[in-house]
Amino acid sequence: MTELENYLHHYFSIGQHDSQKLASLFKEEKLAKGEFFLRSQQQSNRLSFIQHGLLRLFVALPDKEVTQWIANSGNFVTDLSGFLFRNPARWNIQALTEVTLFTISHEEYLNVASLIPKWNEFEKLFIGKCFVALENRVFNQISLSAEERYELLFEQQRELFHQVPLQYLASMLGMTPETLSRIRSKKTS
């Protein structure tokens, strides 16, 4: 079983045969550091599994950029609203490092149900997991202090603090770079 097949098997709780069928629809793709996977207002025509590398999801506002998330290995990436509902993309998605992806086109994605009879159940689970992650993120943003949000991210994804510019992490955590620096120096002293 390939890495992608194994991930699909566990993530979607589907059998080995179905994970092989699903994985066969994904094509390997590489992005160079700085290259865009997607720009805001474009059509989101692909869903990708990140095998290796980091992607930043952000929006450029008139006075600043806001980082929504840093997607890393073992995660899926797309502009979900654009991909599922065909809205113009809200997010820019840009490679922070060299990135290797396994990508399925929107057209191929629409055909998955004809290949895998229980796909609607699996897709519901996938969307549910996305929604729960979003709920947890919103809850943490409104209920935790800046220091607690920092500690949680550091505990869950420590490697980001060595690979991602701190201003992106600060934005993702909903704080200024100065606040993040103050919290970091307090934690390391």
Side-chain angles (χ1 to χ4, degrees):
M1 191 179 282
T2 68
E3 181 182 355
L4 178 60
E5 290 169 5
N6 191 43
Y7 188 83
L8 294 170
H9 170 71
H10 291 291
Y11 192 86
F12 290 104
S13 301
I14 60 179
Q16 186 174 349
H17 183 67
D18 285 339
S19 63
Q20 288 172 342
K21 281 196 254 182
L22 183 56
S24 73
L25 300 175
F26 286 77
K27 307 296 178 234
E28 187 176 301
E29 178 181 6
K30 294 190 183 282
L31 296 175
K33 180 179 179 178
E35 190 175 346
F36 279 83
F37 174 82
L38 180 68
R39 291 184 187 265
S40 67
Q41 300 306 309
Q42 289 182 336
Q43 190 64 59
S44 180
N45 289 320
R46 57 194 178 169
L47 170 70
S48 295
F49 172 77
I50 305 169
Q51 180 185 31
H52 174 75
L54 298 170
L55 293 163
R56 178 171 78 117
L57 288 76
F58 70 98
V59 64
L61 300 175
D63 59 336
K64 63 181 176 179
E65 287 184 352
V66 176
T67 300
Q68 188 251 10
W69 193 247
I70 305 295
N72 58 357
S73 302
N75 288 291
F76 284 95
V77 65
T78 192
D79 180 297
L80 197 57
S81 174
F83 188 76
L84 293 179
F85 303 112
R86 312 313 293 150
N87 298 321
R90 174 185 300 168
W91 304 107
N92 293 293
I93 303 176
Q94 186 178 28
L96 292 178
T97 62
E98 288 185 3
V99 178
T100 303
L101 306 165
F102 289 108
T103 299
I104 187 170
S105 70
H106 183 262
E107 186 178 307
E108 290 281 357
Y109 184 83
L110 293 176
N111 292 324
V112 172
S114 65
L115 293 173
I116 301 172
K118 290 187 172 186
W119 177 248
N120 290 337
E121 293 173 37
F122 303 139
E123 183 183 44
K124 192 184 300 182
L125 178 64
F126 173 65
I127 301 300
K129 285 182 178 186
C130 293
F131 190 75
V132 168
L134 178 62
E135 278 185 326
N136 290 338
R137 188 126 186 264
V138 169
F139 178 77
N140 291 342
Q141 200 67 21
I142 62 176
S143 67
L144 300 178
S145 69
E147 191 170 320
E148 290 168 327
R149 291 192 308 272
Y150 167 86
E151 288 172 357
L152 185 62
L153 183 63
F154 189 77
E155 184 180 298
Q156 293 174 342
Q157 297 187 44
R158 182 177 309 233
E159 70 282 357
L160 292 182
F161 289 84
H162 302 291
Q163 300 173 318
V164 176
L166 291 182
Q167 72 265 23
Y168 298 160
L169 294 176
S171 178
M172 187 174 88
L173 289 167
M175 62 182 75
T176 65
E178 295 78 19
T179 299
L180 179 61
S181 291
R182 191 169 48 255
I183 291 169
R184 281 190 76 193
S185 65
K186 192 164 107 177
K187 295 294 178 185
T188 58
S189 57

